[in-house]
Amino acid sequence: MFGVTGDLARKKLMPAVYDLANRGLLPPGFSLVGYARRDWADEDFAQLTYESVKEHARTPFRDTVWQQLSEGVRFVQGDFDDDDAFDRLAQTVRELDEERGTGGNYAFYLSIPPKFFPTVVQQLKRSGLSSPSPGRERTPWRRVVIEKPFGHDLASARELNATLDGVFPPESVFRIDHYLGKETVQNILALRFANEMYEPIWNRGYVDHVQITMAEDIGIGGRAGYYDGIGAARDVIQNHLLQLLALTAMEEPVAFDADSLRTEKEKVLSAVRLPADLATGTARGQYAAGWQGGLAVGGYLEEDAIPADSRTETYAALRLGVDTRRWAGVPFYLRAGKRLPRRMTEIAMMFQRAPHLPFAATDTKELGQNALVIRIQPDEGITVRFGSKVPGTAMEVRDVNMDFAYGESFTESSPEAYERLLLDVLIGDPPLFPRQQEVELGWRILDPVEQFWAEHTKPEQYPAGSAGPASADALMARDGRAWRRL
């Protein structure tokens, strides 16, 4: 694991490894080798791992599980361009392999800034770590895991892929989009294809539009070095939200395997069309000072290490079309932003209004559109909104909700996304990982928008704690629609 001193490794990856071990899903010889610049001994890294597990693990801490896991914890100190350090790493891994009986199977997790990916991948090749040693009965596997962003545009994504292709075969490259590991994201497929109830109305004949939202109530925190110059669209729309769009709009796969799922997602992404006028079909904003949770907070330009003239957006919204027989004419609205009223991610399928209502206008003045809302976080579940008569002597119809919540329906809590994804890496099961074609299609969609923004617009200021810039509301109002309330 490269980059073990970072927040991702400490708060997500190491606890996920422990949780897998606690659930009996790791082999007894499983070993974890950390690589970073810190001048640590094995015991220092083991202590960091222990503290991370105690603080962030989802499952209860058990000494017996930790003792077994800790026996395979090692640390190698070095820079990414340090040949000697990578040779020490190779030696450490070989010794662990003999001592713990791991069969020569190695997974390399690159929890590091994307600019270091090529250096580390080339070092893995130079030191022989990326190539299995001959002479074994069964050829061991080598797998490399990289975190999004997969490049910052189409050209850089292709460049990164060429670097990876020069060292690892395509089936050994796992591009982690942690959103795809969430139980509720996978439940989109179960909802659609394990039930007959919704599929007949999952099309342009009944759906008016679809809203996909990822809202955060926090600012950029300590991520200024990464976030500035990237922005909301590159950070989450190009990967997370376009993946959610693909899962919502895809046709039924012939089987629940990696190739079948990816093929259907790629068909959808290749059919996505941008609005003819990007000035009116997109919106971008940047949070200003305001109030969040009863506290006064500063604006984006006041954050540490952010230039005063930064044009990086913290809010982005797009209207997209999907040119297929099922979805022709149905707009998909995507929005993502920081410093919004609350944290939530959801897919809302908004249905057309009934063509005729046999009630007086006053009876249905509070009746909205039927909706099917898939809540991805934080309160995972599904809401169905429909009209119902209000009790009483008068005929009054009003919207009501019918809720399904994971926490209430299942006794077992949902595993963390990284648990599922790490396990899939180890067993070599790739359905939840996007392949290069999906990554490139995502950049093909977003690149023209980013280019237009760079040349023609600057982000509109919106107060922290508000629902976003006025231009995003205007985008919807032009179509006679409105965003769901945050």
Side-chain angles (χ1 to χ4, degrees):
M1 189 181 292
F2 296 90
V4 291
T5 56
D7 276 358
L8 177 66
R10 199 165 44 82
K11 294 180 180 178
K12 296 291 185 182
L13 300 179
M14 290 186 275
V17 167
Y18 170 81
D19 288 331
L20 287 172
N22 211 5
R23 294 164 61 201
L25 296 174
L26 294 181
F30 177 89
S31 304
L32 174 64
V33 182
Y35 186 100
R37 286 178 295 186
R38 301 279 175 89
D39 187 12
W40 282 350
D42 292 344
E43 295 77 16
D44 298 317
F45 178 52
Q47 181 63 26
L48 172 77
T49 307
Y50 174 80
E51 290 168 0
S52 300
V53 165
K54 287 281 281 189
E55 185 176 355
H56 300 291
R58 180 181 64 87
T59 55
F61 184 82
R62 292 193 294 168
D63 276 320
T64 51
V65 174
W66 168 250
Q67 287 304 324
Q68 184 174 3
L69 193 60
S70 64
E71 287 171 6
V73 172
R74 301 288 186 275
F75 182 78
V76 175
Q77 185 266 335
D79 290 314
F80 296 139
D81 57 358
D82 186 341
D83 290 358
D84 290 340
F86 269 84
D87 291 339
R88 288 199 307 274
L89 176 63
Q91 179 64 27
T92 300
V93 170
R94 279 194 294 270
E95 289 171 0
L96 263 178
D97 196 8
E98 293 174 13
E99 179 186 327
R100 308 269 296 167
T102 54
N105 299 314
Y106 309 157
F108 307 104
Y109 199 114
L110 275 55
S111 178
I112 57 178
K115 64 182 178 182
F116 295 120
F117 287 169
T119 305
V120 172
V121 168
Q122 290 302 326
Q123 285 282 23
L124 292 174
K125 181 179 182 179
R126 186 203 60 78
S127 61
L129 280 164
S130 63
S131 306
S133 305
R136 293 180 185 261
E137 273 184 48
R138 257 180 16 189
T139 304
W141 50 255
R142 299 285 191 272
R143 294 172 188 145
V144 61
V145 185
I146 60 172
E147 280 272 349
K148 67 92 180 169
F150 314 116
H152 57 85
D153 57 15
L154 181 58
S156 59
R158 285 175 168 167
E159 189 178 329
L160 171 59
N161 192 58
T163 301
L164 292 166
D165 267 356
V167 179
F168 295 95
E171 65 273 12
S172 296
V173 179
F174 288 73
R175 299 169 183 83
I176 276 199
D177 183 340
H178 69 272
Y179 256 62
L180 300 185
K182 292 184 181 291
E183 288 284 318
T184 34
V185 171
Q186 297 166 53
N187 200 41
I188 298 169
L189 299 175
L191 178 75
R192 290 192 58 190
F193 303 127
N195 300 293
E196 184 64 17
M197 191 185 312
Y198 296 115
E199 192 62 15
I201 58 172
W202 205 276
N203 56 59
R204 65 187 299 272
Y206 297 91
V207 176
D208 177 72
H209 70 281
V210 179
Q211 296 184 26
I212 303 178
T213 298
M214 179 179 169
E216 296 179 277
D217 58 1
I218 57 172
I220 59 166
R223 301 175 70 213
Y226 161 77
Y227 198 88
D228 195 55
I230 297 292
R234 286 190 177 104
D235 189 34
V236 293
I237 289 182
Q238 185 273 338
N239 36 72
H240 299 335
L241 298 199
L242 284 178
Q243 285 287 330
L244 295 182
L245 181 151
L247 290 168
T248 303
M250 66 187 271
E251 297 298 323
E252 182 178 357
V254 295
F256 192 72
D257 59 54
D259 285 341
S260 301
L261 285 170
R262 288 164 163 176
T263 297
E264 296 304 331
K265 285 196 293 177
E266 285 166 15
K267 286 180 185 176
V268 171
L269 293 173
S270 63
V272 169
R273 297 294 176 264
L274 290 167
D277 182 4
L278 291 176
T280 58
T282 68
R284 67 196 295 241
Q286 190 181 76
Y287 65 81
W291 291 85
Q292 192 96 50
L295 299 174
V297 295
Y300 179 76
L301 298 179
E302 298 159 25
E303 299 276 10
D304 290 341
I306 297 296
D309 60 348
S310 174
R311 291 162 61 101
T312 299
E313 81 280 352
T314 61
Y315 180 104
L318 310 175
R319 181 183 68 243
L320 301 175
V322 178
D323 284 356
T324 62
R325 189 179 184 91
R326 181 186 288 265
W327 295 113
V330 176
F332 285 71
Y333 298 97
L334 278 56
R335 61 173 168 168
K338 291 185 177 293
R339 286 282 183 223
L340 299 178
R342 66 189 179 101
R343 171 178 173 256
M344 61 168 256
T345 302
E346 68 173 30
I347 301 166
M349 187 161 287
M350 310 299 292
F351 291 92
Q352 298 170 17
R353 297 181 186 274
H356 171 69
L357 292 172
F359 313 106
T362 54
D363 296 344
T364 57
K365 65 181 181 181
E366 294 189 47
L367 179 65
Q369 288 174 272
N370 294 161
L372 175 65
V373 182
I374 301 169
R375 305 190 307 274
I376 293 168
Q377 68 176 16
D379 53 337
E380 296 96 338
I382 296 169
T383 296
V384 179
R385 189 177 76 188
F386 56 94
S388 178
K389 180 187 176 299
V390 178
T393 55
M395 185 61 189
E396 181 185 354
V397 183
R398 187 187 300 169
D399 287 333
V400 295
N401 290 334
M402 185 163 61
D403 274 334
F404 151 68
Y406 268 85
E408 295 175 7
S409 300
F410 299 104
T411 54
E412 184 176 349
S413 61
S414 298
E416 278 284 332
Y418 281 102
E419 287 178 57
R420 173 71 188 268
L421 295 171
L422 285 176
L423 184 61
D424 284 350
V425 169
L426 296 176
I427 63 177
D429 186 26
L432 302 176
F433 297 84
R435 60 185 170 194
Q436 180 64 15
Q437 180 70 6
E438 290 177 67
V439 173
E440 292 191 11
L441 286 168
W443 285 121
R444 284 181 188 276
I445 295 165
L446 192 62
D447 274 1
V449 176
E450 290 286 357
Q451 185 177 351
F452 175 83
W453 284 348
E455 294 172 358
H456 299 287
T457 71
K458 70 176 190 175
E460 177 187 352
Q461 297 288 299
Y462 63 94
S466 69
S471 56
D473 293 328
L475 183 159
M476 296 291 277
R478 278 189 285 269
D479 295 344
R481 301 184 175 98
W483 293 110
R484 280 173 51 81
R485 191 173 67 185
L486 288 171

